[in-house]
């Protein structure tokens, strides 16, 4: 089978030992670090590749795992602001013209910029391979740094994102806004209900555990409550129990805890200052 398949069916018939490349932006970095990937296959030019962005009748947004991030960002328009904010600080413009969501997910880095917004959005990955198609929640896909639940020969074809709450965002803390690996990152979504209460709260943090994680304690501290200083303080305290950061060359565990607490406080600041939503009469 050619290392340059032209259809998805040809990809399914490739030797399972062959690694797939759509963007390949991490290839040189990994090889310089001593990793060897074996034989490769370029899947960036499939004739039947999924559309970069597709709106489904039930309100879901289907994203191609093979399309460059810059194309997805452009075609999303005003949708999925959390993901678009992550793309905006993803490496450089040149990298965004090549890098893909599929690659960002399959690399399974706990510091991946594109993953926290998908985790907060409760996205579902649609996989395919020699055994057919299956779906898996993005929260179950990575099992550790560099490890995923992909079976031999499987690959990510698309990502389905359910209808999202009104407010979403992404905050990355690193040595600089782009062209740097995240020290920590935070993605969030929520709506505002009666009395200004936060509803549908979902938080996802990167670089604070072996995989990108949801923050259930902080979510519970915020759900159904208006964002007062006391509520924000309770959410920040709960956040400390949701994460398990380590110390490494980029930051200490203590700094990561403090930085993520600051990111959550910053994300909630607009909710502190917004007027409460009026009740219907």
């Amino acid at each position: 089978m050619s290392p340059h398949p032209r259809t998805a069916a040809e990809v399914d018939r490739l030797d399972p030992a062959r690694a797939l490349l759509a963007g390949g932006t991490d290839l040189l970095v990994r090889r310089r670090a001593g990793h060897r990937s074996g034989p490769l296959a370029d899947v960036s030019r499939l004739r039947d590749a999924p559309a970069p962005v597709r709106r489904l009748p039930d309100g879901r947004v289907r994203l191609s795992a093979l399309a460059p991030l810059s194309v997805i960002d452009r075609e999303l328009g005003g949708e999925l602001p959390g993901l678009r904010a992550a793309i905006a600080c993803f490496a450089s413009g040149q990298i965004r013209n090549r890098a893909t969501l599929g690659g960002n997910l399959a690399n399974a880095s706990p510091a991946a910029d594109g993953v926290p917004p998908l985790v907060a959005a409760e996205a579902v990955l649609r996989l395919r391979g020699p055994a057919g198609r299956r779906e898996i929640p993005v929260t179950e896909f990575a099992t550790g740094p560099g490890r995923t639940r992909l079976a031999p020969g499987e690959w990510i074809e698309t990502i389905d994102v359910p209808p999202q709450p009104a407010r979403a965002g992404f905050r990355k803390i690193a040595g600089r806004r782009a062209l740097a690996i995240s020290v920590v990152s935070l993605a969030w979504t929520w709506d505002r209900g009666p009395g200004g209460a936060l509803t549908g709260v979902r938080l996802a943090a990167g670089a604070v555990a072996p995989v990108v994680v949801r923050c259930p304690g902080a979510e519970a501290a915020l759900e159904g409550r208006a964002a007062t200083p006391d509520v924000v303080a309770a959410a920040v305290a709960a956040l400390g129990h949701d994460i398990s950061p380590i110390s490494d060359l980029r930051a200490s565990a203590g700094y990561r805890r403090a930085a993520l607490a600051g990111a959550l406080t910053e994300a909630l600041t607009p909710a502190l200052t917004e007027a409460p939503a009026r009740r219907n009469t």
Side-chain angles (χ1 to χ4, degrees):
M1 181 62 62
S2 166
H4 303 284
R6 295 306 181 193
T7 67
E10 289 183 8
V11 178
D12 294 340
R13 295 194 294 269
L14 288 171
D15 180 348
R18 192 177 288 276
L20 305 184
L21 292 182
T25 55
D26 254 3
L27 181 61
L28 182 59
V29 175
R30 291 175 64 83
R31 286 191 169 176
R32 282 178 172 171
H35 299 283
R36 292 292 179 264
S37 58
L40 304 172
D42 180 4
V43 297
S44 64
R45 295 180 175 84
L46 301 184
R47 291 194 295 266
D48 54 354
V53 176
R54 181 183 170 199
R55 282 85 180 173
L56 303 180
D58 60 4
R60 287 177 298 160
V61 177
R62 179 164 292 170
L63 308 173
S64 171
L66 306 179
L69 294 177
S70 58
V71 175
I72 287 177
D73 180 48
R74 182 178 67 244
E75 297 203 10
L76 277 174
E79 296 178 90
L80 306 185
L83 179 59
R84 294 188 66 233
I87 291 173
C89 58
F90 191 106
S92 65
Q94 295 95 323
I95 295 296
R96 292 193 290 272
N97 286 335
R98 288 286 302 173
T100 65
L101 282 176
N104 207 221
L105 287 159
N107 281 342
S109 167
D113 289 338
V115 178
L118 297 177
V119 171
E122 298 184 328
V124 174
L125 309 186
R126 302 176 75 243
L127 314 180
R128 64 176 294 167
R133 286 185 168 92
R134 68 183 177 109
E135 297 183 348
I136 182 172
V138 67
T139 50
E140 299 176 12
F141 180 68
T143 60
R147 302 194 303 273
T148 74
R149 295 192 185 279
L150 283 173
E154 266 192 327
W155 52 289
I156 310 168
E157 187 175 31
T158 55
I159 302 108
D160 281 3
V161 183
Q164 292 298 295
R167 292 163 173 81
F170 175 80
R171 179 75 163 91
K172 169 180 175 174
I173 297 174
R176 48 186 172 180
R177 183 172 181 271
L179 288 171
I181 298 174
S182 293
V183 172
V184 297
S185 62
L186 179 72
W188 62 88
T189 69
W190 56 67
D191 271 321
R192 295 294 295 277
L198 302 179
T199 62
V201 179
R202 297 193 293 271
L203 306 170
V208 292
V211 298
V212 174
V213 293
R214 285 279 294 271
C215 304
E219 292 174 355
L222 295 169
E223 184 67 32
R225 298 173 174 85
T228 65
D230 286 346
V231 167
V232 172
V236 168
L239 184 67
H241 299 288
D242 290 330
I243 60 177
S244 53
I246 62 170
S247 297
D248 60 17
L249 292 175
R250 295 198 302 280
S252 68
Y255 178 82
R256 284 190 161 96
R257 288 184 179 278
L260 193 65
L264 179 58
T265 303
E266 181 182 90
L268 289 164
T269 297
L272 280 166
T273 57
E274 288 175 356
R278 293 182 178 177
R279 293 183 183 273
N280 294 330
T281 58

